[in-house]
Structures are given as C-alpha cells and as structure tokens.
Amino acid sequence: AAAAPAAAAPAAQGGAAAFAAKGRARPALEKQNSMQQRKQCADLSGDDVEHFLGHHPYVRGFAPTKADVELYSQLSDSHFPETPNLRRWFDHIESFSATERASWPAA
C-alpha cells in the first residue's frame, strides 16, 4: 500500500515533473503580439467580449478606439451591461466626455 502514494507523488508535484511522470511533453505557451490580439477582438461577441475585457482595458487591446465608442453606443441604446468585465469597461468608457471619445482613432 505504501508504494501507491510514492508512485503518485511526481504527478502531484505539478509543472514539468507532472507532465514527464505522465509521459507527456509540457505544452508550449503561445505568444501573441498586440496586432494578433486586436484582430481576435474584432471578431468577438457576447461572452467572448466579456472574457477579452477580463484581460484588456479596451475592446481592441490597450488603447481606446472607435470600436469602444461603437460598442458603448450600442449598449447605451439597448441595455446596461450585466456582466462584471463589460460593466467595468462601460463605466470606464462613460467616464470620458463625448469630445474625448470622438477623438479616439479608428479601430
């Protein structure tokens, strides 16, 4: 009975040791540049926007654009966002004046 816990120990360690103990290679992390991230967000909708905004302050990445203004306008006309990341983003965009939002570059 003592042999079973010892055999499970490498897998419980996590990281590369756990993958090696299970006979698998550790998955490679993929890096994305900001252009790739912006392209991805351009095609997002619904839950994808919520997830993206969990890691980015604006809908196209790290700087405000007309895409933020467009989404803000749509949400202002239809309903107040109910999800946490979209609500935080909406409040943040709302903190800018209409003049400031109008000066943001095209997406």
Side-chain angles (χ1 to χ4, degrees):
Q13 291 175 358
F19 283 103
K22 293 179 182 178
R24 296 183 291 182
R26 187 174 191 163
L29 297 177
E30 294 181 29
K31 293 185 179 181
Q32 295 179 329
N33 66 34
S34 62
M35 288 303 291
Q36 288 171 320
Q37 292 171 342
R38 288 180 190 147
K39 281 177 123 177
Q40 286 177 347
C41 189
D43 299 327
L44 299 179
S45 62
D47 291 338
D48 292 335
V49 172
E50 173 66 15
H51 178 73
F52 187 84
L53 289 173
H55 304 283
H56 301 85
Y58 302 100
V59 297
R60 294 287 170 98
F62 295 97
T65 65
K66 296 286 185 204
D68 293 283
V69 176
E70 291 170 17
L71 182 58
Y72 175 78
S73 295
Q74 290 173 5
L75 292 173
S76 294
D77 293 341
S78 61
H79 67 284
F80 186 75
E82 296 178 10
T83 56
N85 295 326
L86 198 53
R87 182 177 295 165
R88 176 202 44 80
W89 169 87
F90 185 87
D91 291 341
H92 176 62
I93 299 303
E94 191 172 48
S95 73
F96 293 96
S97 71
T99 304
E100 288 174 306
R101 289 192 298 266
S103 71
W104 293 346

